[in-house]
Amino acid sequence: MTPTEYEYLRKFLKDNSGLDLSADKQYLIESRLLPLARKAGLSGIAELVQKLQGGSRQLMTDVVEAMTTNETFFFRDKVPFDHFRDHIMPEIIKARAAKRSVRIWCAAGSTGQEPYSLAMSLKEMGAALTGWRVEIIATDLSQEVLEKARAGIYSQFEVQRGLPIQMLVKYFKQTGETWQINPELRAMIQHRQLNLLHDFAQLGTFDVIFCRNVLIYFDQDTKINIFNRLARQIEPDGFLVLGAAETVVGLTDTFRPIPERRGLYKPNDPRAAVAKPVLAGAAPRMAVVAGR
Ligand SMILES: C[S@@+](CC[C@H](N)C(=O)[O-])C[C@H]1O[C@@H](n2cnc3c(N)ncnc32)[C@H](O)[C@@H]1O
């Protein structure tokens, strides 16, 4: 791959998926895109770049999908799901007692293990949610992972990663070598294609947003832009949950961490944030707060 081809692909990926590759990731591009080029009957990366430049829509989608990292598993990192059960949901249940409705968005839900972990956690809450309207929206950039998420079918290996055995027995049905999550849980989730770089205001507002292990792939300005737009989609008393390697600290004051609960963030009152004096020498973005 020539430096020019690499630069073209880097920019293409940044513009289309947010993926921010450093200058030394040629091997990653080659390992992911060479098999794709061969499958498409192309001689190599050079021809693939030519086709992209020619505007091949299918190839654009395929390249973006091939470069996404879809790693996920049930109850990944455990702690956020403990917080969801022990802190987030008890607060929401109290606060929404009159309305009896809760909306949860699992942004970048990949092949479904994360939204299904949330659905199982909600089911385990039993009577506390009887009569409630519970909505879970799971989105992802990749159509391929969404198809798998919709089907809710997992291999033996996948159900052995993070899923407690009693939940496997209770919520899945075995067919041959695979396990399918039960129809009631599948029906709790709406799976939709969505690129976090694009406008997501149409999704409405949420009580809880899980946005984990996707922002790590983006540069600072993209993260800030997404945090500021997430802040407009979250209820003032809602919760944002980020991955273990992600934080808002130093990027935006639209959210604040809950110190004793790792990975959990509350939206700041935008009026309070706007009224805050800007300190001399502070990075300008720290004072910018998106309107709600
Ligand atoms: C590493 S997985 C994380 C899955 C899950 N949230 C978890 O923590 O286990 C990252 C997911 O983000 C998705 N993704 C990457 N770029 C995206 C974008 N611009 N908009 C929406 N989803 C994106 C990928 O397709 C992938 O499924």
PDB file of all heavy atoms in Angstrom, residues 77-113:
ATOM      1  N   ASP A  77     -17.817  -6.462  31.464  1.00  0.00           N
ATOM      2  CA  ASP A  77     -17.250  -5.677  32.584  1.00  0.00           C
ATOM      3  C   ASP A  77     -18.088  -5.762  33.865  1.00  0.00           C
ATOM      4  O   ASP A  77     -17.744  -5.135  34.860  1.00  0.00           O
ATOM      5  CB  ASP A  77     -17.032  -4.196  32.210  1.00  0.00           C
ATOM      6  CG  ASP A  77     -16.088  -4.041  31.032  1.00  0.00           C
ATOM      7  OD1 ASP A  77     -15.313  -4.990  30.776  1.00  0.00           O
ATOM      8  OD2 ASP A  77     -16.134  -3.004  30.363  1.00  0.00           O
ATOM      9  N   LYS A  78     -19.189  -6.425  33.847  1.00  0.00           N
ATOM     10  CA  LYS A  78     -20.037  -6.703  35.019  1.00  0.00           C
ATOM     11  C   LYS A  78     -20.494  -5.464  35.816  1.00  0.00           C
ATOM     12  O   LYS A  78     -21.681  -5.272  36.043  1.00  0.00           O
ATOM     13  CB  LYS A  78     -19.349  -7.732  35.940  1.00  0.00           C
ATOM     14  CG  LYS A  78     -20.308  -8.317  36.960  1.00  0.00           C
ATOM     15  CD  LYS A  78     -19.653  -9.396  37.792  1.00  0.00           C
ATOM     16  CE  LYS A  78     -20.518  -9.824  38.962  1.00  0.00           C
ATOM     17  NZ  LYS A  78     -20.807  -8.754  39.921  1.00  0.00           N
ATOM     18  N   VAL A  79     -19.513  -4.617  36.227  1.00  0.00           N
ATOM     19  CA  VAL A  79     -19.823  -3.486  37.125  1.00  0.00           C
ATOM     20  C   VAL A  79     -20.947  -2.577  36.583  1.00  0.00           C
ATOM     21  O   VAL A  79     -21.877  -2.242  37.321  1.00  0.00           O
ATOM     22  CB  VAL A  79     -18.532  -2.674  37.440  1.00  0.00           C
ATOM     23  CG1 VAL A  79     -18.839  -1.393  38.192  1.00  0.00           C
ATOM     24  CG2 VAL A  79     -17.588  -3.549  38.250  1.00  0.00           C
ATOM     25  N   PRO A  80     -20.923  -2.177  35.307  1.00  0.00           N
ATOM     26  CA  PRO A  80     -21.992  -1.311  34.811  1.00  0.00           C
ATOM     27  C   PRO A  80     -23.380  -1.959  34.945  1.00  0.00           C
ATOM     28  O   PRO A  80     -24.371  -1.266  35.174  1.00  0.00           O
ATOM     29  CB  PRO A  80     -21.653  -1.117  33.334  1.00  0.00           C
ATOM     30  CG  PRO A  80     -20.227  -1.473  33.208  1.00  0.00           C
ATOM     31  CD  PRO A  80     -19.900  -2.439  34.282  1.00  0.00           C
ATOM     32  N   PHE A  81     -23.421  -3.283  34.815  1.00  0.00           N
ATOM     33  CA  PHE A  81     -24.717  -3.979  34.933  1.00  0.00           C
ATOM     34  C   PHE A  81     -25.135  -4.082  36.402  1.00  0.00           C
ATOM     35  O   PHE A  81     -26.329  -4.058  36.707  1.00  0.00           O
ATOM     36  CB  PHE A  81     -24.654  -5.346  34.241  1.00  0.00           C
ATOM     37  CG  PHE A  81     -24.458  -5.204  32.761  1.00  0.00           C
ATOM     38  CD1 PHE A  81     -23.188  -5.253  32.204  1.00  0.00           C
ATOM     39  CD2 PHE A  81     -25.539  -4.950  31.928  1.00  0.00           C
ATOM     40  CE1 PHE A  81     -22.996  -5.061  30.850  1.00  0.00           C
ATOM     41  CE2 PHE A  81     -25.358  -4.767  30.554  1.00  0.00           C
ATOM     42  CZ  PHE A  81     -24.080  -4.820  30.027  1.00  0.00           C
ATOM     43  N   ASP A  82     -24.153  -4.168  37.309  1.00  0.00           N
ATOM     44  CA  ASP A  82     -24.470  -4.103  38.749  1.00  0.00           C
ATOM     45  C   ASP A  82     -25.031  -2.713  39.072  1.00  0.00           C
ATOM     46  O   ASP A  82     -26.026  -2.589  39.779  1.00  0.00           O
ATOM     47  CB  ASP A  82     -23.221  -4.369  39.605  1.00  0.00           C
ATOM     48  CG  ASP A  82     -22.737  -5.811  39.479  1.00  0.00           C
ATOM     49  OD1 ASP A  82     -23.503  -6.663  38.975  1.00  0.00           O
ATOM     50  OD2 ASP A  82     -21.587  -6.084  39.875  1.00  0.00           O
ATOM     51  N   HIS A  83     -24.385  -1.677  38.528  1.00  0.00           N
ATOM     52  CA  HIS A  83     -24.891  -0.308  38.734  1.00  0.00           C
ATOM     53  C   HIS A  83     -26.296  -0.165  38.157  1.00  0.00           C
ATOM     54  O   HIS A  83     -27.147   0.492  38.741  1.00  0.00           O
ATOM     55  CB  HIS A  83     -23.992   0.718  38.031  1.00  0.00           C
ATOM     56  CG  HIS A  83     -22.657   0.910  38.677  1.00  0.00           C
ATOM     57  ND1 HIS A  83     -22.441   0.717  40.020  1.00  0.00           N
ATOM     58  CD2 HIS A  83     -21.469   1.313  38.161  1.00  0.00           C
ATOM     59  CE1 HIS A  83     -21.170   0.978  40.298  1.00  0.00           C
ATOM     60  NE2 HIS A  83     -20.566   1.328  39.184  1.00  0.00           N
ATOM     61  N   PHE A  84     -26.499  -0.770  37.008  1.00  0.00           N
ATOM     62  CA  PHE A  84     -27.811  -0.668  36.352  1.00  0.00           C
ATOM     63  C   PHE A  84     -28.884  -1.265  37.256  1.00  0.00           C
ATOM     64  O   PHE A  84     -29.940  -0.671  37.463  1.00  0.00           O
ATOM     65  CB  PHE A  84     -27.757  -1.416  35.010  1.00  0.00           C
ATOM     66  CG  PHE A  84     -29.042  -1.364  34.221  1.00  0.00           C
ATOM     67  CD1 PHE A  84     -29.464  -0.182  33.634  1.00  0.00           C
ATOM     68  CD2 PHE A  84     -29.825  -2.504  34.052  1.00  0.00           C
ATOM     69  CE1 PHE A  84     -30.646  -0.128  32.906  1.00  0.00           C
ATOM     70  CE2 PHE A  84     -31.002  -2.463  33.326  1.00  0.00           C
ATOM     71  CZ  PHE A  84     -31.413  -1.276  32.752  1.00  0.00           C
ATOM     72  N   ARG A  85     -28.580  -2.419  37.840  1.00  0.00           N
ATOM     73  CA  ARG A  85     -29.550  -3.115  38.686  1.00  0.00           C
ATOM     74  C   ARG A  85     -29.710  -2.432  40.051  1.00  0.00           C
ATOM     75  O   ARG A  85     -30.830  -2.266  40.536  1.00  0.00           O
ATOM     76  CB  ARG A  85     -29.075  -4.570  38.873  1.00  0.00           C
ATOM     77  CG  ARG A  85     -29.997  -5.433  39.734  1.00  0.00           C
ATOM     78  CD  ARG A  85     -29.300  -6.719  40.144  1.00  0.00           C
ATOM     79  NE  ARG A  85     -28.072  -6.408  40.882  1.00  0.00           N
ATOM     80  CZ  ARG A  85     -26.973  -7.157  40.875  1.00  0.00           C
ATOM     81  NH1 ARG A  85     -26.916  -8.275  40.203  1.00  0.00           N
ATOM     82  NH2 ARG A  85     -25.896  -6.790  41.562  1.00  0.00           N
ATOM     83  N   ASP A  86     -28.580  -2.016  40.641  1.00  0.00           N
ATOM     84  CA  ASP A  86     -28.617  -1.574  42.046  1.00  0.00           C
ATOM     85  C   ASP A  86     -28.792  -0.072  42.220  1.00  0.00           C
ATOM     86  O   ASP A  86     -29.153   0.389  43.294  1.00  0.00           O
ATOM     87  CB  ASP A  86     -27.318  -1.984  42.771  1.00  0.00           C
ATOM     88  CG  ASP A  86     -27.120  -3.498  42.736  1.00  0.00           C
ATOM     89  OD1 ASP A  86     -28.132  -4.221  42.620  1.00  0.00           O
ATOM     90  OD2 ASP A  86     -25.955  -3.942  42.785  1.00  0.00           O
ATOM     91  N   HIS A  87     -28.481   0.695  41.176  1.00  0.00           N
ATOM     92  CA  HIS A  87     -28.502   2.149  41.352  1.00  0.00           C
ATOM     93  C   HIS A  87     -29.378   2.852  40.303  1.00  0.00           C
ATOM     94  O   HIS A  87     -30.308   3.575  40.647  1.00  0.00           O
ATOM     95  CB  HIS A  87     -27.060   2.669  41.292  1.00  0.00           C
ATOM     96  CG  HIS A  87     -26.967   4.136  41.496  1.00  0.00           C
ATOM     97  ND1 HIS A  87     -27.200   4.746  42.705  1.00  0.00           N
ATOM     98  CD2 HIS A  87     -26.684   5.154  40.619  1.00  0.00           C
ATOM     99  CE1 HIS A  87     -27.065   6.054  42.582  1.00  0.00           C
ATOM    100  NE2 HIS A  87     -26.750   6.327  41.323  1.00  0.00           N
ATOM    101  N   ILE A  88     -29.081   2.579  39.039  1.00  0.00           N
ATOM    102  CA  ILE A  88     -29.779   3.304  37.969  1.00  0.00           C
ATOM    103  C   ILE A  88     -31.273   2.996  37.998  1.00  0.00           C
ATOM    104  O   ILE A  88     -32.105   3.899  38.118  1.00  0.00           O
ATOM    105  CB  ILE A  88     -29.184   2.948  36.575  1.00  0.00           C
ATOM    106  CG1 ILE A  88     -27.719   3.367  36.494  1.00  0.00           C
ATOM    107  CG2 ILE A  88     -30.011   3.565  35.456  1.00  0.00           C
ATOM    108  CD1 ILE A  88     -27.023   3.051  35.184  1.00  0.00           C
ATOM    109  N   MET A  89     -31.617   1.725  37.892  1.00  0.00           N
ATOM    110  CA  MET A  89     -33.035   1.373  37.789  1.00  0.00           C
ATOM    111  C   MET A  89     -33.825   1.713  39.052  1.00  0.00           C
ATOM    112  O   MET A  89     -34.937   2.242  38.945  1.00  0.00           O
ATOM    113  CB  MET A  89     -33.219  -0.084  37.353  1.00  0.00           C
ATOM    114  CG  MET A  89     -33.001  -0.313  35.869  1.00  0.00           C
ATOM    115  SD  MET A  89     -33.884   0.841  34.789  1.00  0.00           S
ATOM    116  CE  MET A  89     -35.583   0.393  35.132  1.00  0.00           C
ATOM    117  N   PRO A  90     -33.287   1.449  40.281  1.00  0.00           N
ATOM    118  CA  PRO A  90     -34.051   1.883  41.459  1.00  0.00           C
ATOM    119  C   PRO A  90     -34.363   3.387  41.428  1.00  0.00           C
ATOM    120  O   PRO A  90     -35.468   3.803  41.751  1.00  0.00           O
ATOM    121  CB  PRO A  90     -33.129   1.512  42.628  1.00  0.00           C
ATOM    122  CG  PRO A  90     -32.349   0.342  42.108  1.00  0.00           C
ATOM    123  CD  PRO A  90     -32.127   0.620  40.660  1.00  0.00           C
ATOM    124  N   GLU A  91     -33.390   4.205  40.973  1.00  0.00           N
ATOM    125  CA  GLU A  91     -33.654   5.663  40.896  1.00  0.00           C
ATOM    126  C   GLU A  91     -34.701   5.992  39.853  1.00  0.00           C
ATOM    127  O   GLU A  91     -35.586   6.807  40.076  1.00  0.00           O
ATOM    128  CB  GLU A  91     -32.364   6.418  40.551  1.00  0.00           C
ATOM    129  CG  GLU A  91     -31.497   6.640  41.757  1.00  0.00           C
ATOM    130  CD  GLU A  91     -30.699   7.944  41.688  1.00  0.00           C
ATOM    131  OE1 GLU A  91     -30.862   8.727  40.742  1.00  0.00           O
ATOM    132  OE2 GLU A  91     -29.903   8.148  42.610  1.00  0.00           O
ATOM    133  N   ILE A  92     -34.597   5.324  38.711  1.00  0.00           N
ATOM    134  CA  ILE A  92     -35.547   5.601  37.616  1.00  0.00           C
ATOM    135  C   ILE A  92     -36.952   5.142  38.039  1.00  0.00           C
ATOM    136  O   ILE A  92     -37.949   5.828  37.782  1.00  0.00           O
ATOM    137  CB  ILE A  92     -35.102   4.878  36.308  1.00  0.00           C
ATOM    138  CG1 ILE A  92     -33.750   5.398  35.832  1.00  0.00           C
ATOM    139  CG2 ILE A  92     -36.159   4.974  35.204  1.00  0.00           C
ATOM    140  CD1 ILE A  92     -33.737   6.755  35.173  1.00  0.00           C
ATOM    141  N   ILE A  93     -37.024   3.993  38.682  1.00  0.00           N
ATOM    142  CA  ILE A  93     -38.324   3.460  39.090  1.00  0.00           C
ATOM    143  C   ILE A  93     -39.008   4.442  40.065  1.00  0.00           C
ATOM    144  O   ILE A  93     -40.201   4.713  39.963  1.00  0.00           O
ATOM    145  CB  ILE A  93     -38.181   2.027  39.686  1.00  0.00           C
ATOM    146  CG1 ILE A  93     -37.877   1.040  38.553  1.00  0.00           C
ATOM    147  CG2 ILE A  93     -39.441   1.606  40.461  1.00  0.00           C
ATOM    148  CD1 ILE A  93     -37.540  -0.378  38.990  1.00  0.00           C
ATOM    149  N   LYS A  94     -38.207   5.015  40.933  1.00  0.00           N
ATOM    150  CA  LYS A  94     -38.765   6.002  41.881  1.00  0.00           C
ATOM    151  C   LYS A  94     -39.195   7.270  41.124  1.00  0.00           C
ATOM    152  O   LYS A  94     -40.312   7.762  41.282  1.00  0.00           O
ATOM    153  CB  LYS A  94     -37.675   6.357  42.906  1.00  0.00           C
ATOM    154  CG  LYS A  94     -38.227   6.479  44.324  1.00  0.00           C
ATOM    155  CD  LYS A  94     -37.218   7.012  45.314  1.00  0.00           C
ATOM    156  CE  LYS A  94     -36.026   6.096  45.542  1.00  0.00           C
ATOM    157  NZ  LYS A  94     -34.906   6.781  46.186  1.00  0.00           N
ATOM    158  N   ALA A  95     -38.313   7.750  40.281  1.00  0.00           N
ATOM    159  CA  ALA A  95     -38.572   9.034  39.620  1.00  0.00           C
ATOM    160  C   ALA A  95     -39.709   8.958  38.598  1.00  0.00           C
ATOM    161  O   ALA A  95     -40.380   9.952  38.324  1.00  0.00           O
ATOM    162  CB  ALA A  95     -37.293   9.515  38.942  1.00  0.00           C
ATOM    163  N   ARG A  96     -39.898   7.770  37.997  1.00  0.00           N
ATOM    164  CA  ARG A  96     -40.922   7.648  36.941  1.00  0.00           C
ATOM    165  C   ARG A  96     -42.158   6.880  37.446  1.00  0.00           C
ATOM    166  O   ARG A  96     -42.908   6.318  36.647  1.00  0.00           O
ATOM    167  CB  ARG A  96     -40.375   6.896  35.715  1.00  0.00           C
ATOM    168  CG  ARG A  96     -39.100   7.448  35.146  1.00  0.00           C
ATOM    169  CD  ARG A  96     -39.338   8.698  34.286  1.00  0.00           C
ATOM    170  NE  ARG A  96     -38.064   9.131  33.745  1.00  0.00           N
ATOM    171  CZ  ARG A  96     -37.196   9.926  34.403  1.00  0.00           C
ATOM    172  NH1 ARG A  96     -37.492  10.385  35.609  1.00  0.00           N
ATOM    173  NH2 ARG A  96     -36.052  10.269  33.850  1.00  0.00           N
ATOM    174  N   ALA A  97     -42.358   6.864  38.760  1.00  0.00           N
ATOM    175  CA  ALA A  97     -43.450   6.064  39.337  1.00  0.00           C
ATOM    176  C   ALA A  97     -44.808   6.456  38.758  1.00  0.00           C
ATOM    177  O   ALA A  97     -45.675   5.599  38.550  1.00  0.00           O
ATOM    178  CB  ALA A  97     -43.447   6.204  40.850  1.00  0.00           C
ATOM    179  N   ALA A  98     -44.988   7.737  38.469  1.00  0.00           N
ATOM    180  CA  ALA A  98     -46.278   8.187  37.954  1.00  0.00           C
ATOM    181  C   ALA A  98     -46.420   7.813  36.473  1.00  0.00           C
ATOM    182  O   ALA A  98     -47.465   7.328  36.036  1.00  0.00           O
ATOM    183  CB  ALA A  98     -46.402   9.691  38.135  1.00  0.00           C
ATOM    184  N   LYS A  99     -45.370   8.000  35.733  1.00  0.00           N
ATOM    185  CA  LYS A  99     -45.392   7.774  34.280  1.00  0.00           C
ATOM    186  C   LYS A  99     -45.279   6.287  33.926  1.00  0.00           C
ATOM    187  O   LYS A  99     -45.784   5.833  32.904  1.00  0.00           O
ATOM    188  CB  LYS A  99     -44.187   8.528  33.706  1.00  0.00           C
ATOM    189  CG  LYS A  99     -44.328   8.993  32.291  1.00  0.00           C
ATOM    190  CD  LYS A  99     -43.196   9.983  31.983  1.00  0.00           C
ATOM    191  CE  LYS A  99     -42.482   9.559  30.737  1.00  0.00           C
ATOM    192  NZ  LYS A  99     -41.141  10.094  30.579  1.00  0.00           N
ATOM    193  N   ARG A 100     -44.603   5.543  34.760  1.00  0.00           N
ATOM    194  CA  ARG A 100     -44.364   4.113  34.550  1.00  0.00           C
ATOM    195  C   ARG A 100     -43.844   3.798  33.139  1.00  0.00           C
ATOM    196  O   ARG A 100     -44.410   2.951  32.423  1.00  0.00           O
ATOM    197  CB  ARG A 100     -45.644   3.307  34.823  1.00  0.00           C
ATOM    198  CG  ARG A 100     -45.970   3.271  36.319  1.00  0.00           C
ATOM    199  CD  ARG A 100     -47.430   2.956  36.537  1.00  0.00           C
ATOM    200  NE  ARG A 100     -47.696   1.536  36.520  1.00  0.00           N
ATOM    201  CZ  ARG A 100     -47.548   0.732  37.561  1.00  0.00           C
ATOM    202  NH1 ARG A 100     -47.105   1.202  38.699  1.00  0.00           N
ATOM    203  NH2 ARG A 100     -47.845  -0.537  37.469  1.00  0.00           N
ATOM    204  N   SER A 101     -42.828   4.504  32.780  1.00  0.00           N
ATOM    205  CA  SER A 101     -42.215   4.197  31.486  1.00  0.00           C
ATOM    206  C   SER A 101     -40.726   4.526  31.540  1.00  0.00           C
ATOM    207  O   SER A 101     -40.302   5.464  32.220  1.00  0.00           O
ATOM    208  CB  SER A 101     -42.954   4.967  30.378  1.00  0.00           C
ATOM    209  OG  SER A 101     -42.145   5.918  29.801  1.00  0.00           O
ATOM    210  N   VAL A 102     -39.945   3.694  30.873  1.00  0.00           N
ATOM    211  CA  VAL A 102     -38.501   3.902  30.846  1.00  0.00           C
ATOM    212  C   VAL A 102     -37.980   3.656  29.434  1.00  0.00           C
ATOM    213  O   VAL A 102     -38.408   2.731  28.760  1.00  0.00           O
ATOM    214  CB  VAL A 102     -37.765   3.017  31.903  1.00  0.00           C
ATOM    215  CG1 VAL A 102     -38.094   1.549  31.756  1.00  0.00           C
ATOM    216  CG2 VAL A 102     -36.252   3.206  31.854  1.00  0.00           C
ATOM    217  N   ARG A 103     -37.087   4.548  28.997  1.00  0.00           N
ATOM    218  CA  ARG A 103     -36.492   4.403  27.656  1.00  0.00           C
ATOM    219  C   ARG A 103     -34.979   4.264  27.798  1.00  0.00           C
ATOM    220  O   ARG A 103     -34.323   5.091  28.435  1.00  0.00           O
ATOM    221  CB  ARG A 103     -36.796   5.621  26.774  1.00  0.00           C
ATOM    222  CG  ARG A 103     -38.244   5.828  26.461  1.00  0.00           C
ATOM    223  CD  ARG A 103     -38.387   6.847  25.328  1.00  0.00           C
ATOM    224  NE  ARG A 103     -38.216   6.241  24.026  1.00  0.00           N
ATOM    225  CZ  ARG A 103     -37.531   6.782  23.027  1.00  0.00           C
ATOM    226  NH1 ARG A 103     -36.913   7.925  23.173  1.00  0.00           N
ATOM    227  NH2 ARG A 103     -37.443   6.162  21.853  1.00  0.00           N
ATOM    228  N   ILE A 104     -34.463   3.217  27.169  1.00  0.00           N
ATOM    229  CA  ILE A 104     -33.027   2.926  27.261  1.00  0.00           C
ATOM    230  C   ILE A 104     -32.449   2.838  25.848  1.00  0.00           C
ATOM    231  O   ILE A 104     -33.044   2.187  24.980  1.00  0.00           O
ATOM    232  CB  ILE A 104     -32.806   1.590  28.005  1.00  0.00           C
ATOM    233  CG1 ILE A 104     -33.372   1.707  29.433  1.00  0.00           C
ATOM    234  CG2 ILE A 104     -31.327   1.209  28.041  1.00  0.00           C
ATOM    235  CD1 ILE A 104     -33.557   0.378  30.127  1.00  0.00           C
ATOM    236  N   TRP A 105     -31.320   3.474  25.646  1.00  0.00           N
ATOM    237  CA  TRP A 105     -30.665   3.415  24.340  1.00  0.00           C
ATOM    238  C   TRP A 105     -29.304   2.747  24.515  1.00  0.00           C
ATOM    239  O   TRP A 105     -28.499   3.185  25.320  1.00  0.00           O
ATOM    240  CB  TRP A 105     -30.485   4.825  23.776  1.00  0.00           C
ATOM    241  CG  TRP A 105     -29.739   4.896  22.478  1.00  0.00           C
ATOM    242  CD1 TRP A 105     -29.541   3.877  21.574  1.00  0.00           C
ATOM    243  CD2 TRP A 105     -29.102   6.050  21.927  1.00  0.00           C
ATOM    244  NE1 TRP A 105     -28.818   4.329  20.488  1.00  0.00           N
ATOM    245  CE2 TRP A 105     -28.543   5.664  20.684  1.00  0.00           C
ATOM    246  CE3 TRP A 105     -28.953   7.368  22.358  1.00  0.00           C
ATOM    247  CZ2 TRP A 105     -27.835   6.555  19.876  1.00  0.00           C
ATOM    248  CZ3 TRP A 105     -28.252   8.256  21.554  1.00  0.00           C
ATOM    249  CH2 TRP A 105     -27.701   7.855  20.319  1.00  0.00           C
ATOM    250  N   CYS A 106     -29.098   1.697  23.744  1.00  0.00           N
ATOM    251  CA  CYS A 106     -27.817   1.034  23.735  1.00  0.00           C
ATOM    252  C   CYS A 106     -27.149   1.403  22.404  1.00  0.00           C
ATOM    253  O   CYS A 106     -27.434   0.798  21.373  1.00  0.00           O
ATOM    254  CB  CYS A 106     -28.072  -0.469  23.855  1.00  0.00           C
ATOM    255  SG  CYS A 106     -26.610  -1.394  24.094  1.00  0.00           S
ATOM    256  N   ALA A 107     -26.351   2.453  22.440  1.00  0.00           N
ATOM    257  CA  ALA A 107     -25.707   2.954  21.215  1.00  0.00           C
ATOM    258  C   ALA A 107     -24.506   2.045  20.957  1.00  0.00           C
ATOM    259  O   ALA A 107     -23.782   1.712  21.891  1.00  0.00           O
ATOM    260  CB  ALA A 107     -25.256   4.392  21.416  1.00  0.00           C
ATOM    261  N   ALA A 108     -24.285   1.665  19.709  1.00  0.00           N
ATOM    262  CA  ALA A 108     -23.196   0.739  19.381  1.00  0.00           C
ATOM    263  C   ALA A 108     -23.347  -0.593  20.119  1.00  0.00           C
ATOM    264  O   ALA A 108     -22.445  -1.050  20.813  1.00  0.00           O
ATOM    265  CB  ALA A 108     -21.840   1.375  19.658  1.00  0.00           C
ATOM    266  N   GLY A 109     -24.493  -1.211  19.951  1.00  0.00           N
ATOM    267  CA  GLY A 109     -24.823  -2.452  20.661  1.00  0.00           C
ATOM    268  C   GLY A 109     -24.241  -3.700  20.029  1.00  0.00           C
ATOM    269  O   GLY A 109     -24.442  -4.804  20.544  1.00  0.00           O
ATOM    270  N   SER A 110     -23.554  -3.547  18.902  1.00  0.00           N
ATOM    271  CA  SER A 110     -22.898  -4.666  18.220  1.00  0.00           C
ATOM    272  C   SER A 110     -23.862  -5.850  18.012  1.00  0.00           C
ATOM    273  O   SER A 110     -25.020  -5.638  17.645  1.00  0.00           O
ATOM    274  CB  SER A 110     -21.622  -5.070  18.970  1.00  0.00           C
ATOM    275  OG  SER A 110     -20.900  -5.993  18.189  1.00  0.00           O
ATOM    276  N   THR A 111     -23.397  -7.059  18.279  1.00  0.00           N
ATOM    277  CA  THR A 111     -24.194  -8.254  17.942  1.00  0.00           C
ATOM    278  C   THR A 111     -25.290  -8.574  18.976  1.00  0.00           C
ATOM    279  O   THR A 111     -25.879  -9.652  18.936  1.00  0.00           O
ATOM    280  CB  THR A 111     -23.260  -9.476  17.764  1.00  0.00           C
ATOM    281  OG1 THR A 111     -22.247  -9.426  18.775  1.00  0.00           O
ATOM    282  CG2 THR A 111     -22.597  -9.474  16.407  1.00  0.00           C
ATOM    283  N   GLY A 112     -25.542  -7.661  19.887  1.00  0.00           N
ATOM    284  CA  GLY A 112     -26.735  -7.794  20.734  1.00  0.00           C
ATOM    285  C   GLY A 112     -26.523  -8.221  22.173  1.00  0.00           C
ATOM    286  O   GLY A 112     -27.433  -8.122  22.997  1.00  0.00           O
ATOM    287  N   GLN A 113     -25.317  -8.689  22.495  1.00  0.00           N
ATOM    288  CA  GLN A 113     -25.095  -9.173  23.870  1.00  0.00           C
ATOM    289  C   GLN A 113     -25.347  -8.067  24.896  1.00  0.00           C
ATOM    290  O   GLN A 113     -25.872  -8.352  25.977  1.00  0.00           O
ATOM    291  CB  GLN A 113     -23.670  -9.714  24.028  1.00  0.00           C
ATOM    292  CG  GLN A 113     -23.442 -11.067  23.368  1.00  0.00           C
ATOM    293  CD  GLN A 113     -22.959 -10.968  21.934  1.00  0.00           C
ATOM    294  OE1 GLN A 113     -23.281 -10.019  21.208  1.00  0.00           O
ATOM    295  NE2 GLN A 113     -22.191 -11.945  21.487  1.00  0.00           N
TER     296      GLN A 113
END
